Amino acid sequence: MGEASVKTLETRTDLSSPHVTEHEARPASERTFLTRLRAPRRPRIWFEILLIAVSYWTYSLIRNAVPEQKAAALANADWIWGVERDLGIAVEQSVNHAVNSVTWLIVGMNYYYATLHFVVTIGVLVWIYRFHPGRYAATRLILFATTGVALVGYYLYPLAPPRLMNGQDFIDTVIVHHTWGSMASGNLKNMSNQYAAMPSMHIGWSLWCGLTIFAVASAPWARILGLLYPTATLVVIVATANHFWLDAVGGMMCLAFGYAVSRAWYGSLPHRLPRHPLHTGPHPAAALLDRFRR
């Protein structure tokens, strides 16, 4: 009895009946290949590593191949800044200067910006894969769809970050404090498109992490940390002059699109799917790749 009530980040005791999606509710005779493709199954580690590696390589390739369009990006930054001033929310410069005056804090934020974006995202993926395999595919699809639509934003709307604006007094905190907090500053600036600030995937990914932890974890402290993570990320991207507030709104919109895609494909939000997959056989896509490997 005591064991069943223990709440941790890794385990949640599901006392209710497993949620059955609209696809699984159909008789077996009516299930098409597409329906079987949609059914959550236990993920395979080799397939997931390959998929994530190829997807991130493709994302980086496309993002950095998008024409920088410096003139358009700077013009769009001026327009965004003007809109924020009209709305009374253009306080990024004040935040940037205030945090930059505290050396240990801004240096910490530079490293936060450079590392946690990847470390926490991968950590949440591994956690869901290990302890909630039935929800993994739907959760991963949200992340992939969010990132995919962000690429469209980078192509259609080049935007300079505040630190690259002309005629504004923003501080590039990476250059000033000689840290490696951004791929778009210092010696690494030629390896990344500097004018891909809209939407902010730091917000898109961190909010995905936070909402996933909040929806699935049982421990109150874990759920609180889940919500604090995207909040802290929002402060960091503004304090380091890498994004406007409205870039964060763009990231949230991309994430909303990701949730809609996952909901449409699996017939349910990830946290409402069974913790352990009802289907134990190989996924049709993974089985197809198995044939090619042999």
Side-chain angles (χ1 to χ4, degrees):
M1 178 176 180
E3 181 179 347
S5 63
V6 175
K7 296 180 178 181
T8 66
L9 178 62
E10 292 80 7
T11 59
R12 162 179 274 182
T13 304
D14 295 324
L15 300 179
S16 59
S17 300
H19 177 76
V20 179
T21 69
E22 59 193 49
H23 309 302
E24 294 169 338
R26 298 177 183 176
S29 60
E30 297 180 10
R31 294 178 185 172
T32 64
F33 174 78
L34 182 61
T35 303
R36 296 195 304 272
L37 195 64
R38 291 176 173 180
R41 298 171 186 269
R42 182 171 295 277
R44 296 188 174 190
I45 185 64
W46 69 265
F47 178 77
E48 294 305 321
I49 293 176
L50 177 64
L51 180 62
I52 292 172
V54 171
S55 298
Y56 183 73
W57 175 80
T58 304
Y59 164 75
S60 299
L61 185 67
I62 295 175
R63 181 181 184 273
N64 296 332
V66 172
E68 290 195 344
Q69 302 175 347
K70 180 177 180 179
L74 291 172
N76 288 337
D78 290 335
W79 185 84
I80 289 285
W81 188 234
V83 169
E84 290 196 351
R85 282 185 297 194
D86 292 340
L87 294 174
I89 61 173
V91 297
E92 290 94 329
Q93 194 172 88
S94 299
V95 174
N96 175 231
H97 282 255
V99 178
N100 185 70
S101 65
V102 184
T103 302
W104 65 266
L105 181 58
I106 194 59
V107 168
M109 286 188 174
N110 284 342
Y111 289 126
Y112 178 114
Y113 186 88
T115 59
L116 294 192
H117 180 53
F118 302 102
V119 172
V120 176
T121 302
I122 293 173
V124 172
L125 274 174
V126 171
W127 170 55
I128 294 295
Y129 174 91
R130 175 66 179 83
F131 296 104
H132 300 268
R135 298 160 179 161
Y136 175 83
T139 304
R140 184 241 289 140
L141 179 57
I142 294 173
L143 183 65
F144 280 30
T146 298
T147 306
V149 75
L151 289 173
V152 178
Y154 299 146
Y155 183 84
L156 296 177
Y157 196 78
L159 180 67
R163 57 186 173 75
L164 293 182
M165 289 179 69
N166 292 327
Q168 301 297 332
D169 191 25
F170 284 98
I171 301 170
D172 190 327
T173 59
V174 171
I175 291 178
V176 170
H177 297 281
H178 307 289
T179 58
W180 44 272
S182 172
M183 285 289 290
S185 293
N187 296 328
L188 299 176
K189 64 182 179 182
N190 294 325
M191 297 174 59
S192 178
N193 183 359
Q194 298 188 73
Y195 302 107
M198 171 67 83
S200 168
M201 278 300 93
H202 272 75
I203 290 300
W205 288 13
S206 67
L207 191 57
W208 171 84
C209 292
L211 292 178
T212 298
I213 293 172
F214 183 81
V216 176
S218 295
W221 62 265
R223 304 182 76 190
I224 292 173
L225 285 179
L227 296 181
L228 287 178
Y229 174 55
T231 303
T233 300
L234 178 61
V235 175
V236 167
I237 66 173
V238 171
T240 56
N242 279 294
H243 288 285
F244 297 99
W245 297 123
L246 292 182
D247 297 345
V249 175
M252 294 174 190
M253 293 174 64
C254 289
L255 182 63
F257 172 81
Y259 270 99
V261 169
S262 182
R263 172 65 177 82
W265 182 257
Y266 288 102
S268 179
L269 293 175
H271 69 279
R272 291 181 55 81
L273 294 172
R275 177 177 174 181
H276 296 283
L278 301 179
H279 301 269
T280 57
H283 192 281
L288 186 62
L289 284 176
D290 269 336
R291 292 180 184 176
F292 284 108
R293 290 172 63 204
R294 296 168 185 171

